[in-house]
Amino acid sequence: MIQSNLIDDFLDYMKTTKGSSENTIKEYYYDLRMFVRFIKVRKGLVSEDISFDDIPVEDIDAKTLGEVTKQDIYAYNSYLERTRKISNRSKFRKLSSVKSFYSYLFNKIDVIKYNPVQDIDMPKIEKTLPVYLSLEQCIDLLNTIENSKQKEVYKTRDYAIVTLFLNCGMRLSELSNIDVSHITDKSQLTVLGKGNKERTIYLNKACIDAINRYLKFRPEVKEDALFLSMRQNRMSNRSIQHMIEKHMKNSGLDTSKYSVHKLRHTAATLMYEYGNADIRSLQEILGHESVNTTEIYTHVNDDQLKNMVKSNPLSNITMTQDKDSDIEDDTKDNKK
């Protein structure tokens, strides 16, 4: 008799006990499915004729998982790089999923006696600066939407969506799930972030004005979703992405470089650069679990670097003699 599906049990634990989102659960499943298939192949537990993607994972048992060694884990890391050709960032995520799974097996349900991933060396992730729009590009994007030849309901809707992204730094899922009833008063609204954690978003004048303008044209329907599609249903994440991509193209932005998520980067960067936001406040605004995630927005731009160099008190100290005087003196010395 096959014992209970350990992967499904783990995913249920992450959802019901740890509060992981549906997207996170899917990522865990995809990551663990690849890992289990690799282990089955490495241990010779499947026929050589079977395609890798057809290898079943539901029958994996604690005995097999408990026999996995550190050497197997490092071999899996090599497989991800050499065969799958994925980046260190993706490898880090996939190995993190395996670490969480083994921590559950070892610490939570006690079905294995050894955790091979506990002290494993993780792939090094190179820190890269976030891509974001300049202030001028933000204004151009908003002007493009305002001057578009759309019906007023869609124009005000799109303008409000982009305004919220650029001013509040929301995630796409947070914005698409906003209901009219979430707007508790004119200056704030409640969103559901990662891990199903609620947080309050404070609205500035631009956001309040944009929402109020849109609400004047929003159809009066039973649907509580704030942002409605042409069919008067809640706008999906994909439809919001498509809409913003269209406006970005119309404003001259390179959509291979800029995306909806880059609007979140932009909001964070503008708040840090212009609002004198400290790192902890920015962490709360963005809904980050760890302040380490927020630190990528504390970068400085080229203008800041130039100004810092110019502000050096020695920046105006130069030689009192010019080059001509030096040449003249050298000539006199030579004649002597």
Side-chain angles (χ1 to χ4, degrees):
M1 178 179 178
I2 297 176
Q3 68 182 98
S4 61
N5 186 338
L6 290 172
I7 293 179
D8 282 348
D9 289 348
F10 167 70
L11 297 179
D12 285 341
Y13 165 78
M14 294 303 296
K15 182 176 181 179
T16 59
T17 304
K18 304 296 287 185
S20 298
S21 68
E22 288 294 337
N23 287 336
T24 301
I25 296 299
K26 287 179 182 178
E27 289 177 355
Y28 274 128
Y29 174 66
Y30 295 145
D31 293 344
L32 294 177
R33 184 174 62 180
M34 182 179 292
F35 172 72
V36 168
R37 285 171 174 166
F38 170 82
I39 292 299
K40 281 191 167 188
V41 171
R42 183 171 170 82
K43 300 292 186 181
L45 301 177
V46 292
S47 169
E48 294 181 359
D49 298 331
I50 189 172
S51 168
F52 186 86
D53 292 335
D54 292 331
I55 297 174
V57 300
E58 293 79 11
D59 60 344
I60 192 69
D61 56 25
K63 181 178 182 298
T64 303
L65 291 169
E67 292 173 350
V68 171
T69 65
K70 287 183 182 290
Q71 187 176 356
D72 295 326
I73 300 298
Y74 283 121
Y76 178 59
N77 183 47
S78 297
Y79 165 79
L80 293 175
E81 179 170 333
R82 295 174 182 174
T83 305
R84 291 288 173 166
K85 309 291 185 185
I86 65 175
S87 66
N88 276 7
R89 185 174 295 276
S90 295
K91 285 194 297 180
F92 189 96
R93 193 204 75 194
K94 290 185 180 298
L95 286 174
S96 294
S97 296
V98 176
K99 286 188 75 171
S100 297
F101 183 45
Y102 266 93
S103 176
Y104 165 77
L105 299 174
F106 182 72
N107 296 314
K108 301 301 178 182
I109 62 174
D110 305 316
V111 297
I112 58 174
K113 296 181 179 180
Y114 167 68
N115 183 354
V117 203
Q118 188 169 4
D119 299 317
I120 208 78
D121 292 329
M122 298 293 283
K124 183 179 179 181
I125 300 178
E126 297 294 336
K127 288 189 176 181
T128 57
L129 294 180
V131 176
Y132 61 96
L133 279 67
S134 67
L135 181 58
E136 292 74 18
Q137 287 173 320
C138 292
I139 295 172
D140 286 343
L141 177 58
L142 290 170
N143 287 339
T144 296
I145 299 173
E146 186 174 4
N147 296 324
S148 63
K149 296 179 180 179
Q150 302 181 96
K151 289 184 178 180
E152 208 65 28
V153 60
Y154 303 126
K155 180 187 296 188
T156 55
R157 179 201 65 187
D158 297 356
Y159 191 93
I161 288 174
V162 174
T163 297
L164 286 174
F165 273 133
L166 289 175
N167 282 273
C168 304
M170 294 183 205
R171 299 180 179 92
L172 174 59
S173 59
E174 292 171 346
L175 185 136
S176 63
N177 286 323
I178 296 175
D179 291 337
V180 176
S181 58
H182 289 165
I183 306 175
T184 53
D185 61 40
K186 290 185 177 181
S187 63
Q188 64 187 55
L189 56 84
T190 303
V191 297
L192 196 63
K194 278 190 173 182
N196 294 321
K197 294 180 181 178
E198 281 192 353
R199 81 174 188 280
T200 300
I201 300 290
Y202 295 98
L203 305 175
N204 58 22
K205 183 179 181 300
C207 294
I208 296 170
D209 180 72
I211 291 174
N212 286 338
R213 283 179 181 273
Y214 165 61
L215 288 176
K216 291 179 181 179
F217 298 96
R218 179 185 178 276
E220 294 185 6
V221 293
K222 291 183 179 179
E223 173 64 68
D224 192 31
L226 177 60
F227 297 113
L228 302 176
S229 65
M230 293 180 67
R231 296 182 178 180
Q232 298 185 357
N233 297 319
R234 183 185 302 276
M235 287 187 77
S236 66
N237 289 356
R238 185 68 196 99
S239 62
I240 293 175
Q241 289 174 320
H242 180 73
M243 175 271 291
I244 290 180
E245 184 177 299
K246 175 188 70 176
H247 290 306
M248 281 184 167
K249 285 182 178 178
N250 291 338
S251 68
L253 292 171
D254 182 356
T255 51
S256 66
K257 179 180 180 181
Y258 299 107
S259 63
V260 170
H261 196 63
K262 299 304 183 288
L263 299 184
R264 175 170 161 85
H265 291 335
T266 300
T269 301
L270 292 178
M271 280 187 277
Y272 187 78
E273 287 190 5
Y274 293 89
N276 297 318
D278 64 88
I279 191 70
R280 292 293 179 184
S281 298
L282 198 57
Q283 178 189 1
E284 289 295 321
I285 291 172
L286 297 174
H288 285 158
E289 186 73 22
S290 169
V291 72
N292 293 333
T293 309
T294 316
E295 286 178 347
I296 65 169
Y297 299 109
T298 61
H299 58 84
V300 291
N301 59 33
D302 290 342
D303 288 336
Q304 286 175 302
L305 293 175
K306 291 176 183 177
N307 290 332
M308 287 178 69
V309 174
K310 288 180 179 179
S311 66
N312 190 312
L314 298 175
S315 64
N316 294 318
I317 305 300
T318 60
M319 291 182 67
T320 55
Q321 292 180 319
D322 58 28
K323 289 183 179 180
D324 291 339
S325 299
D326 292 340
I327 294 173
E328 185 178 343
D329 290 342
D330 288 342
T331 302
K332 289 179 181 178
D333 290 339
N334 290 333
K335 286 182 179 180
K336 290 180 182 180

